[in-house]
Structure formats: C-alpha cells, structure tokens
Amino acid sequence: MTTLCRRRVVSRILEHREDALVVSGLGAPTYDCAAAGDSPLNFYLWGAMGGAAMVGLGVALARPDRRVVVVTGDGELLMGSGALAVIGVEAPENLAILVLDNEAFGETGRQAGLTSKGLDLADMASAVGFRQVRTARSEAELDELAELVQAGKGPVLAVAKVALKDEPVALPTRDGALLADRFRSALGVTP
Amino acid sequence: MATVPDGGLKALIELCDEDPDLRVVTLTTEEEGIGLLAGMWLGGVKGVLLMQSSGVGNCINMLSLPHVCRIPCLVLVTMRGGPAEFNPWQVPMGQAVRPTLEAVGVSVHEPRRAEEVGASFQRAACAAFATGTTAAVLVSQAILGAKDFGRDRGAS
C-alpha cells in the first residue's frame, strides 16, 4: 500500500537542492515543483509529453558541472521511454530522474496506467544501463531516495510510489520563452 | 549532433563521428532529438538534429517545445517518398513533410541543387539561432539520389 504524498516527496528532495537544475514533466510534476518553491533553475514543461527526460539529458550534457534532476510522472516517462535507452548509453553521471508513480493518468480522469498492471520502471531503467535505480513506497524509504536523487552517481532512476490524490493548485508561469530565458540567465549563459 | 540515421546522411554522420569537437547522440526516435537540443540550449550548447523524412511525423507535438519557448532548433532532413521512390510506404510522409512542418511554425529551406545545400543550411542556422525558431533543411532525392534497393544489382 502506498503511503507517500507526492508534494512531500518533491519538497523533501528539493529542499536541499543547492544549485541543482530541475526539469519537470507536464501536469502534476510541474505543479509539485512549483509548490516546492519556484526557482529560475526550474524548467517547467507544460506540454511536449514524453520529452522531460531528453530535455534533462540535454541540460546534463551541456552542464556536466551541475546536478540535473528530472521530476516527472509514470505516464510522461513511458511516452518517451526510448529516452531511457539513450540515457543509459550516454550515461551522464550528473543526471537523476525522479518518477512520481501514481499508476494512473491523473490529469485526464485517473485512468489506469501501465505501472498499475505490473510494469516496473526501475527494472526497465536497470535493463537499459542506468547506474542506480530505487523504488520507495514509504516515508521510511524517503531519506535514502532523496540522497540518491541529490547526490547518487548517475544516471539514476528513483521511483516514488505516490498516492493518487488531488493537491492544492500551484501553477508556475506557462510562458515558455520566459522560463527558458530566466533559466539561461540564472546559469550565466550569454544570449 | 543527434540523429536517427538515414542512408542520405551516411557520409555526414561519419564526418561527425570523426570530429573531436562534436558529440554524436544516437536516438531511438527523432522527437527525442527535439527535447535533447532544447535541453542543450538551456545549458548553453548548440546542436543539430539529422533525420530521414519519415521521422518528421514523429516530431510534430514535440516541436511545440522549441516553438513556445523560443528555443533555436536546427534540423536537417534527407527526403524519401519523392518521384524516384521505389517504396510506396515512404510516400505519404514524404509528401507531408513540408506542410506539416509549416503547420507547426517551422521555417522550411529546400535547396534545389547540391551546390545550394551549404548556403541553404547556413540560412537555416541563422534563422534558428538568431531568431529562436525551428528551421528545417530538406535535401531531396534529386540531390541525394534515390535508394536503389539492389536494383542496380539485378533485383526486380
């Protein structure tokens, strides 16, 4: 039985983020990251479903000196599941993917997702060469998961089995050009 | 450079593989390259995506990312499905490349002759990186030559 709260998981993992760069997948993971505290170093996706892991890989390859954390959901990750294979091969040590796995398409009416029917995301990532994978189901396992996402040698895939539950609204700006511009400015990238 | 390879890209991919200043990322599907290039740009690095025309259809929704975020995205497409095509399965997407790209806001650059490809690519790169848009260069089978499916070795 899942006891983890997605907002608690994300705030616990991002509370000591230091200068980590965060890419969030569309829907609830974007809202969860905004609720944990807005930062110019958060790049929130509001669309482009299936793209979060590859955006994270791009940032990780461009900035090997910085920790890159992708926060996404089970449906978003699986839509772009080929990205796991690419990341396994490219093997960036600074990239961690945190999957908030509620086993459902929470944004569209809570239809059952593939992970509710036996698919194991950690096994998938492990099979394609992720250096470290872990699944947490309870609060007692959260500290270890947070440590892995924050500092574990990547590529890391961390799965948090979270409850299917509506959270308070926390919407960041959906102006993509603003998000990209402030992210690059905060990184000191010249235009 | 990111790619799902195509026969028309063979020599270029080999040049990229040999270039110590380039990182070549092999993708499972072309849309991954759109996300990858966007992430690299966010981190301050430029890239280019190479694909066959059949891969353009895979990218359409993902192209909303560079479009909405005004992130430069430079794509080189080698075409299939033109008049010299042998394989009918290549024709529908080949015909749809330009209209679908233009429908999602991509500027399309189509050199007519081999000598124009370099200048066309240069213009597309300027359009992408100077104005934060997605630009695609389409290289036709008239320039590349059509895949022969062994017909020059006597196959029917």
Side-chain angles (χ1 to χ4, degrees), chain A residues 92-177:
Chain A
E93 294 183 3
N94 58 331
L95 178 63
I97 299 177
L98 169 66
V99 191
L100 303 162
D101 182 3
N102 60 9
E103 304 186 351
F105 293 90
E107 290 291 301
T108 56
R110 300 188 170 186
Q111 298 87 350
L114 274 69
T115 56
S116 75
K117 304 175 186 187
L119 182 66
D120 188 310
L121 297 172
D123 282 352
M124 276 181 74
S126 187
V128 294
F130 272 60
R131 196 168 271 116
Q132 302 189 68
V133 302
R134 186 158 306 162
T135 301
R137 292 182 173 78
S138 67
E139 190 73 22
E141 296 167 299
L142 190 50
D143 283 349
E144 256 187 19
L145 197 78
E147 172 65 23
L148 185 67
V149 172
Q150 288 158 356
K153 189 172 176 183
V156 164
L157 186 97
V159 180
K161 288 285 191 180
V162 297
L164 188 53
K165 168 176 167 290
D166 289 329
E167 299 291 346
V169 173
L171 306 181
T173 179
R174 56 191 192 282
D175 181 335

Side-chain angles (χ1 to χ4, degrees), chain A residues 2 4 14 17 48 79 101 118 127 133 143 146 152 156 161 172 175 180 184-185:
Chain A
T2 294
L4 284 171
L14 294 185
R17 64 182 284 174
M79 185 176 281
D101 182 3
V133 302
D143 283 349
V156 164
K161 288 285 191 180
D175 181 335
R184 280 166 52 89
S185 298

Side-chain angles (χ1 to χ4, degrees), chain A residues 27 41 43 47 57 62 65 79 86 100 104 118 151 174:
Chain A
L41 297 179
F43 185 73
L57 175 62
D65 56 319
M79 185 176 281
V86 178
L100 303 162
R174 56 191 192 282

Side-chain angles (χ1 to χ4, degrees), chain A residues 55-80:
Chain A
V55 174
L57 175 62
V59 177
L61 295 183
R63 294 303 302 256
D65 56 319
R66 301 289 278 266
R67 188 71 175 175
V68 178
V69 178
V70 173
V71 180
T72 191
D74 48 300
E76 205 276 346
L77 184 77
L78 284 168
M79 185 176 281

Side-chain angles (χ1 to χ4, degrees), chain A residues 55 58-59 82-83 86 90 176-177 184, chain B residues 23 28 32 35 39 41-42 68-69:
Chain A
V55 174
V59 177
V86 178
E90 296 298 326
R184 280 166 52 89
Chain B
R23 182 171 186 140
T28 76
E32 291 164 3
W41 174 255
L42 290 171
V68 170
C69 299

Side-chain angles (χ1 to χ4, degrees), chain A residues 57-64 86-95 131 155, chain B residues 1-3 13 15-27 36-37 40 45-50:
Chain A
L57 175 62
V59 177
L61 295 183
R63 294 303 302 256
V86 178
I87 291 166
V89 168
E90 296 298 326
E93 294 183 3
N94 58 331
L95 178 63
R131 196 168 271 116
Chain B
M1 187 279 271
T3 189
I13 291 170
L15 284 172
C16 292
D17 280 333
E18 289 162 11
D19 189 333
D21 296 329
L22 271 181
R23 182 171 186 140
V24 175
V25 177
T26 305
L27 309 167
L36 183 77
L37 260 49
M40 285 170 47
V45 176
K46 291 178 184 173
V48 62
L49 173 59
L50 314 183

